[in-house]
Amino acid sequence: MSAPETSTPSAARVQPSIARARTGRIATSTAIHTVLFGYTIIALFPVVLVLLNSFKTKRAIFGDPLGLPFGKTFSAIGYLDVLHKGDFATYFTNSFVVTVVALFLIVLLGAAAAHALAEYRFPGNGFLGVYLIIGIMVPIRLGTVAILQMMVQLHLVNTLTALILVYTAQGLPVAVFILTEFMRTLSRDIKDSARIDGLSEYRIFFEVVLPLIRPVLATVAVFSMIPIWNDLWFPLILAPGEGTRTVTLGVQQFIGQYTVNWNAVLAALTLAIVPVLVLYAFFSRQLIRGITSGAVKG
Amino acid sequence: MTDIAPTGTPAKPDETARAPRRKMRLHIAVFLAPAVLIYTLFSIYPLIESLRLSLQSSVPGGEADYVGLANYAKLFFDPLWADQFLNALKNNVVMFCTIMVVQNPIGLVLAALLSLPKVRFTGTYRTLLFMPTLLSVVIIGFVWQLILSPLWGVTDGFLRAIGLAHAYKPWLGLEGSALFTLSMISVWQYVGVPMMLIYAALLSIPDELIDAARIDGLRGWAIFWKVKLPLILPTLGLVGILTYIGNFTVSFDLIYAVQGALAGPNFSTDVMGTFLFRTFFGQQTQLGDPHMGATVASVLFFIILAGVSVYLLAVQRRLQRYEM
Amino acid sequence: MAQLSLSAVRKAYDKHVVIPGADLEIADGEFVVFVGPSGCGKSTLLRMIAGLEEITGGDVRIDGQRINELGPADRGIAMVFQSYALYPHKDVYGNMAFALKHAGVDKAVIEERVSKAAAILGLEPLLKRRPKQLSGGQRQRVAIGRAIVRDPKIFLFDEPLSNLDAALRVQMRVEILRLHQRLKSTMIYVTHDQVEAMTLADRIVVLHGGRIEQVGTPMELYHHPANLFVAGFIGSPKMNILAGTVEAASADNATVRLAAGASISVPVGASPAPGAKVSFGVRPEHLAIADAASASITGTAQVVERLGGETLVHVELADGATLVVKTDGECLARVGDIVGVTAQGAHCHLFDEAGLCLPKAEKHVLAV
């Protein structure tokens, strides 16, 4: 029934039109890639420029900003300055501690609350669900005056604990929102089967639910990390002391102090940028999933 | 008939899970309490407390007195305050409009291109285009400050190279152009957000619907305008409200980093965030005032609340999410 | 009036060949069903006819005119999709009117055509509703209405009933059949469900691995399958296939010895020489349970499925092969019984080593 694969007379006539269609497609595709590539250059250029020049001599920074750091133009003087004049090791440790602890709390407490909202029917479930996600729309910064007063009373000013508490409160609404949506899609049967096996509700949460939603937890963590790591407002207000500065605040203060030392400024900026880029290289997939899941569900 | 509940009491399948009632209540509370507690203490309570503080006044060191809406009256009508407040509000609105008009159309175009079938390297483009969004606004502010600086001359040199030798001006330092320049920096950094949101929405449109449109005689741009765009309107609404909220809060970081708390030159880039910061902490000659700070924050709260309400009531209802 | 012809139509993605070359003639007003397992290329073939998929090689002609390069809207076709593909932002009227509006058809004409289609499908009370306010069956009706409004030369259906529940599927099947009788248009219908294929089609095209295995009326496929694949695909429960050897052959008959020992005479036109290996095929409904002492085939009843009106008995033969016998509901066989099985030779099939069916001596009366 099926014909052999030889070309029929009509196949010859087909060729020109296919060729025409193909050139049209190539033209369209070239145009698309020109736009996308062009904008990618715009997106990357400033960052690349700073990274490159942070490794150059002062003369090369001004004489040939676009050149690569190579041979005579190479210099790490900026980094030496930064290491001597600023306490970047402390800043990084602070940012790291604040971010990791806050993320741990956001993910764990957020997942527990989301599990309760998605799994059990109890009076006030609907209200609490709405209450917990109001924070997505109302920025926590608006309560800064009261937060500072409260931290003063709790003797938490200039401690990392203050930042951790505020960031946990700030991150919970989005985490609860995404996790509740996701947990509602989990099969009820698997939890019921765990109940029949005699697991307590706590063990069901830790041993059945959490492992099932691990990928989503990663997404939520990566997604919540960015605003915490990058924030300037709360470190500036709640923990501006030398010993509790985060990287963002540290860089900001450092640059304010050494504006004329271009090598040091560029090196400080690079130090702030690179860790984020490295993390992004590893976690871009989770991050993008987090953003898009919000778009599809929200 | 097949009731095998161990207690022997007839239970609907749905209720078997919460048969032992008292025990259930406790673990629900254990799951919820930590999140609710932290969130209430450090997010909701401060908001309400700020509203309360805005109704009080005090001299430094003294007791706080209830003054009703006097702080608001001062903010709106006392020329000392009103001028600054209106200036900051105006700048925020200008910045919001600029960003809406520039950033979101660019994001839409990029998303539309990325979502086309058979375009290669979309994953790479997506990752790279989104990269600036991740970096701290503070860092980005400094980076652009350097690039636009007359000292470095990168921008100057670039304009010379493309034949615009005299076009360069220190835009960030000029009253007329500083706010617009900052808006553009913000656009540069955040264009990835609308791009990603719109991209995701476009991808969620089923292929069969596009096939149906092709059968119905639509091609290329007509499919985009008549089928895809109406379907992603809810996402455009979401992008709008996110831009709105971000503009009234996060714009502080950029302006504080680039122009300082005084939002120079001559307050031409002052926004609600920097205004709030100065009011709360004081500036050169003026002492900080937590009650006026709380008042500014509360006004900002109502502005955002108004925006969100408009979005939820008008936009969200009309731009209903389509089941696809 | 539309007649469709495919000649040497080929589809390949880069080097991966999906359809190596299909030839098919569809007459005006015919209802043709493409059927086959998933991945057999039936949807790809339909989408090439629709213009949604580029044609790698060969010609598609409607009424003699080559349409390979025409856009989907210019081919005079309309398509109904599995997911209905209704525009969620338009109401029922808007969905049905969309193509005509885009083509710039006069408003009055649109209105007349939409209300006519709505009347045919009983959609009048729903015209102002949005797709999400409709049930699955109603959405499917709107999707069909959208096709009718365009007054196409050819209707294309891509698994249109797969998303409906079983009861609704039967009801919509009848409606589509009525629609075809009423409109008398050419219709091409893709499905993986052989019941839909058998009940709807004037002719069925069986596809497998991108190739057309057989084209014929439902009764032709049932009584005269071209090869083992079609024999196994059409009919439920599946045809029993047993290994055998030709013992004796004449001009209109062949005697086959089965591996299990029994000999059966099958009326085939051109028989291979004695000694040739063949596959012997017989449908469960053409077997009967008989007394073990007198029957030529005997075995042990392994499973007895009682459906009320009929009984399926799975009989294990001496060589380990299993025969499924469809018999009446009164059958008394129990699991473990030794039972005899008799076959109606006229309804048996022989397949050569390549899997092709040896032609029967006479055509079945329903398949001529």
Side-chain angles (χ1 to χ4, degrees):
Chain A
M1 283 292 168
S2 45
E5 272 185 53
T6 51
S7 63
T8 55
S10 58
R13 267 186 294 124
V14 181
Q15 292 315 319
S17 58
I18 285 182
R20 210 180 320 124
R22 197 164 289 157
T23 45
R25 265 206 311 272
I26 289 171
T28 317
S29 148
T30 310
I32 291 170
H33 283 285
T34 309
V35 174
L36 289 174
F37 188 75
Y39 202 89
T40 307
I41 298 286
I42 295 176
L44 296 185
F45 173 74
V47 174
V48 173
L49 193 69
V50 166
L51 298 191
L52 284 184
N53 282 287
S54 73
F55 289 103
K56 287 191 199 167
T57 60
K58 191 159 191 174
R59 179 190 291 263
I61 292 172
F62 287 97
D64 181 17
L66 300 181
L68 292 173
F70 186 70
K72 264 209 296 194
T73 61
F74 178 84
S75 162
I77 179 84
Y79 292 92
L80 294 175
D81 276 359
V82 169
L83 290 181
H84 284 133
K85 290 172 182 157
D87 195 357
F88 273 77
T90 308
Y91 304 159
F92 270 112
T93 315
N94 291 339
S95 275
F96 185 77
V97 169
V98 167
T99 310
V100 168
V101 177
L103 283 184
F104 175 77
L105 291 175
I106 290 171
V107 167
L108 182 69
L109 306 186
H115 174 65
L117 292 175
E119 176 71 12
Y120 309 113
R121 277 196 268 150
F122 56 92
N125 183 319
F127 167 77
L128 273 178
V130 174
Y131 176 75
L132 280 172
I133 62 172
I134 288 176
I136 295 179
M137 286 296 185
V138 184
I140 192 170
R141 282 184 184 198
L142 299 180
T144 303
V145 176
I147 289 176
L148 180 59
Q149 289 191 344
M150 189 159 51
M151 293 302 176
V152 170
Q153 281 161 12
L154 295 171
H155 302 290
L156 289 175
V157 172
N158 271 330
T159 64
L160 298 181
T161 313
L163 293 179
I164 289 168
L165 289 171
V166 170
Y167 289 144
T168 305
Q170 171 186 291
L172 277 172
V174 173
V176 170
F177 175 68
I178 295 181
L179 291 172
T180 311
E181 288 278 335
F182 188 78
M183 285 190 184
R184 283 193 214 281
T185 68
L186 286 185
S187 135
R188 217 195 146 76
D189 294 349
I190 191 161
K191 286 169 274 184
D192 283 343
S193 113
R195 284 192 185 101
I196 288 168
D197 289 345
L199 268 68
S200 72
E201 295 299 319
Y202 303 107
R203 285 184 64 194
I204 288 175
F205 172 67
F206 283 106
E207 290 171 32
V208 178
V209 174
L210 280 191
L212 278 176
I213 61 163
R214 208 156 39 192
V216 188
L217 292 182
T219 298
V220 169
V222 178
F223 189 56
S224 313
M225 193 194 89
I226 307 300
I228 298 178
W229 184 273
N230 285 339
D231 188 38
L232 176 67
W233 177 267
F234 284 115
L236 185 64
I237 291 168
L238 296 180
E242 176 70 27
T244 52
R245 270 180 211 167
T246 59
V247 175
T248 307
L249 180 62
V251 169
Q252 192 265 339
Q253 302 274 315
F254 180 87
I255 292 177
Q257 237 175 319
Y258 296 96
T259 26
V260 286
N261 185 344
W262 280 66
N263 294 92
V265 166
L266 289 168
L269 289 176
T270 305
L271 283 176
I273 291 172
V274 167
V276 179
L277 291 191
V278 171
L279 278 174
Y280 184 49
F282 283 107
F283 293 111
S284 60
R285 182 185 293 260
Q286 277 89 345
L287 180 79
I288 285 167
R289 191 157 23 138
I291 295 163
T292 51
S293 75
V296 176
K297 302 250 176 66
Chain B
M1 284 180 295
T2 53
D3 185 7
I4 49 159
T7 52
T9 49
K12 286 180 209 154
D14 224 359
E15 285 169 348
T16 46
R18 45 169 171 157
R21 273 190 157 255
R22 199 166 298 146
K23 210 172 124 207
M24 287 297 294
R25 284 229 179 90
L26 181 64
H27 67 248
I28 294 175
V30 172
F31 283 134
L32 278 167
V36 171
L37 202 70
I38 292 190
Y39 172 71
T40 307
L41 265 181
F42 297 102
S43 187
I44 298 297
Y45 165 73
L47 276 173
I48 295 167
E49 177 66 6
S50 285
L51 290 175
R52 197 181 67 84
L53 286 172
S54 74
L55 302 176
Q56 294 180 338
S57 181
S58 68
V59 286
E63 281 291 300
D65 298 320
Y66 177 77
V67 294
L69 296 174
N71 289 332
Y72 292 89
K74 195 154 91 179
L75 185 64
F76 295 146
F77 304 113
D78 181 343
L80 263 177
W81 289 92
D83 289 352
Q84 286 199 60
F85 168 67
L86 290 176
N87 177 50
L89 186 61
K90 184 204 78 191
N91 286 338
N92 255 141
V93 172
V94 169
M95 202 170 172
F96 170 67
C97 295
T98 314
I99 291 173
M100 277 300 276
V101 170
V102 182
Q103 170 183 292
N104 298 338
I106 294 179
L108 179 65
V109 169
L110 292 175
L113 293 180
L114 284 177
S115 70
L116 289 176
K118 292 180 194 165
V119 174
R120 304 177 87 188
F121 312 119
T122 49
T124 312
Y125 281 130
R126 207 177 52 182
T127 308
L128 294 178
L129 288 171
F130 193 70
M131 189 271 292
T133 306
L134 296 178
L135 299 174
S136 162
V137 186
V138 177
I139 307 304
I140 293 308
F142 282 124
V143 168
W144 277 101
Q145 203 179 11
L146 296 183
I147 289 174
L148 295 174
S149 158
L151 289 175
W152 200 2
V154 174
T155 310
D156 197 9
F158 172 73
L159 289 172
R160 255 174 232 286
I162 60 168
L164 295 167
H166 302 291
Y168 177 74
K169 294 208 167 51
W171 290 297
L172 281 172
L174 298 175
E175 260 186 65
S177 58
L179 187 66
F180 180 76
T181 310
L182 286 167
S183 305
M184 287 303 115
I185 294 174
S186 178
V187 167
W188 175 85
Q189 175 164 25
Y190 285 122
V191 77
V193 175
M195 178 190 84
M196 293 301 305
L197 294 176
I198 295 168
Y199 173 71
L202 286 172
L203 285 194
S204 72
I205 298 176
D207 291 341
E208 279 200 346
L209 204 61
I210 306 305
D211 284 343
R214 289 174 63 197
I215 299 264
D216 279 344
L218 277 72
R219 277 160 216 240
W221 283 107
I223 291 182
F224 185 78
W225 288 115
K226 291 196 176 170
V227 179
K228 289 187 178 177
L229 200 61
L231 293 179
I232 61 165
L233 277 185
T235 303
L236 296 185
L238 180 71
V239 165
I241 190 65
L242 288 179
T243 311
Y244 182 84
I245 297 175
N247 180 254
F248 278 105
T249 52
V250 190
S251 58
F252 166 83
D253 295 43
L254 177 64
I255 289 161
Y256 184 78
V258 176
Q259 310 287 34
L262 287 173
N266 190 23
F267 297 109
S268 65
T269 58
D270 200 19
V271 291
M272 293 300 286
T274 42
F275 179 50
L276 166 61
F277 186 82
R278 282 201 315 276
T279 311
F280 187 17
F281 289 99
Q283 59 195 68
Q284 290 138 331
T285 58
Q286 190 187 335
L287 279 173
D289 180 344
H291 297 287
M292 280 312 285
T295 309
V296 175
S298 301
V299 169
L300 202 43
F301 172 72
F302 289 119
I303 289 173
I304 289 174
L305 199 65
V308 172
S309 310
V310 168
Y311 167 72
L312 289 179
L313 292 176
V315 183
Q316 181 79 325
R317 183 174 298 174
R318 293 220 14 223
L319 308 182
Q320 48 184 302
R321 217 151 261 284
Y322 302 110
E323 186 187 309
M324 289 189 270
Chain C
M1 299 300 102
Q3 178 268 337
L4 178 84
S5 93
L6 308 181
S7 51
V9 169
R10 228 173 84 78
K11 179 68 190 179
Y13 298 99
D14 292 327
K15 294 226 166 61
H16 177 63
V17 178
V18 183
I19 293 175
D23 293 278
L24 185 65
E25 296 288 333
I26 295 175
D28 179 41
E30 204 174 8
F31 197 123
V32 171
V33 175
F34 293 177
V35 70
S38 58
C40 69
K42 55 190 190 293
S43 279
T44 309
L45 199 56
L46 189 79
R47 290 169 62 83
M48 285 200 284
I49 296 170
L52 293 172
E53 216 53 80
E54 211 176 308
I55 298 164
T56 314
D59 291 331
V60 177
R61 288 197 168 78
I62 293 179
D63 290 337
Q65 188 205 351
R66 187 169 173 281
I67 56 159
N68 286 37
E69 270 76 43
L70 288 183
D74 306 323
R75 296 186 174 197
I77 52 107
M79 186 154 168
V80 178
F81 294 88
Q82 176 176 356
S83 67
Y84 325 129
L86 300 179
Y87 303 113
H89 57 297
K90 296 186 183 298
D91 61 12
V92 169
Y93 183 92
N95 265 285
M96 289 168 65
F98 189 63
L100 299 181
K101 250 185 210 158
H102 184 73
V105 175
D106 186 59
K107 236 185 162 164
V109 178
I110 296 179
E111 208 161 322
E112 186 207 315
R113 286 218 232 162
V114 171
S115 50
K116 205 173 131 197
I120 293 177
L121 295 161
L123 288 171
E124 288 121 323
L126 306 176
L127 284 175
K128 288 275 158 277
R129 298 246 192 115
R130 292 281 168 113
K132 73 169 167 193
Q133 299 166 298
L134 302 177
S135 69
Q138 289 169 332
R139 288 184 206 187
Q140 190 57 74
R141 254 184 224 119
V142 176
I144 294 171
R146 184 167 67 177
I148 294 176
V149 164
R150 303 191 49 205
D151 192 19
K153 292 194 246 178
I154 304 180
F155 283 85
L156 307 176
F157 294 88
D158 190 1
E159 307 235 7
L161 305 184
S162 299
N163 284 5
L164 299 178
D165 64 54
L168 210 49
R169 214 178 303 164
V170 175
Q171 185 195 331
M172 285 304 293
R173 209 166 70 201
V174 175
E175 276 193 41
I176 290 177
L177 212 50
R178 283 219 192 96
L179 190 72
H180 180 240
Q181 285 160 1
R182 177 175 178 146
L183 298 176
K184 300 190 171 56
S185 314
T186 310
M187 294 188 176
I188 305 177
Y189 187 107
V190 163
T191 180
H192 62 268
D193 177 357
Q194 54 148 321
V195 178
E196 271 173 39
M198 296 295 274
T199 50
L200 285 170
D202 293 329
R203 276 196 305 157
I204 296 177
V205 177
V206 182
L207 285 123
H208 178 48
R211 290 177 190 276
I212 295 180
E213 296 282 349
Q214 188 173 4
V215 182
T217 65
M219 286 304 106
E220 263 168 17
L221 299 194
Y222 181 81
H223 290 292
H224 299 286
N227 51 41
L228 275 173
F229 176 78
V230 177
F233 191 79
I234 301 290
S236 174
K238 279 175 76 159
M239 183 186 281
N240 295 296
I241 306 287
L242 298 174
T245 317
V246 177
E247 253 183 354
S250 69
D252 58 359
N253 206 300
T255 306
V256 180
R257 174 165 288 277
L258 300 179
S263 281
I264 291 175
S265 156
V266 182
V268 290
S271 172
K277 294 217 173 302
V278 290
S279 299
F280 167 82
V282 60
R283 297 192 184 280
E285 51 268 42
H286 298 138
L287 292 171
I289 297 291
D291 186 18
S294 61
S296 59
I297 309 173
T298 55
T300 317
Q302 291 276 321
V303 176
V304 179
E305 298 177 289
R306 297 194 182 279
L307 305 175
E310 57 197 33
T311 307
L312 298 179
V313 186
H314 299 241
V315 180
E316 191 182 284
L317 305 184
D319 65 336
T322 302
L323 274 182
V324 178
V325 181
K326 188 172 181 177
T327 180
D328 60 68
E330 307 304 312
C331 172
L332 296 176
R334 282 175 308 176
V335 172
D337 285 358
I338 306 288
V339 293
V341 178
T342 56
Q344 306 171 29
H347 283 122
C348 295
H349 307 271
L350 292 182
F351 303 88
D352 65 17
E353 281 188 287
L356 294 180
C357 191
L358 303 175
K360 297 294 258 314
E362 271 176 55
K363 277 261 180 190
H364 189 276
V365 61
L366 286 171
V368 281

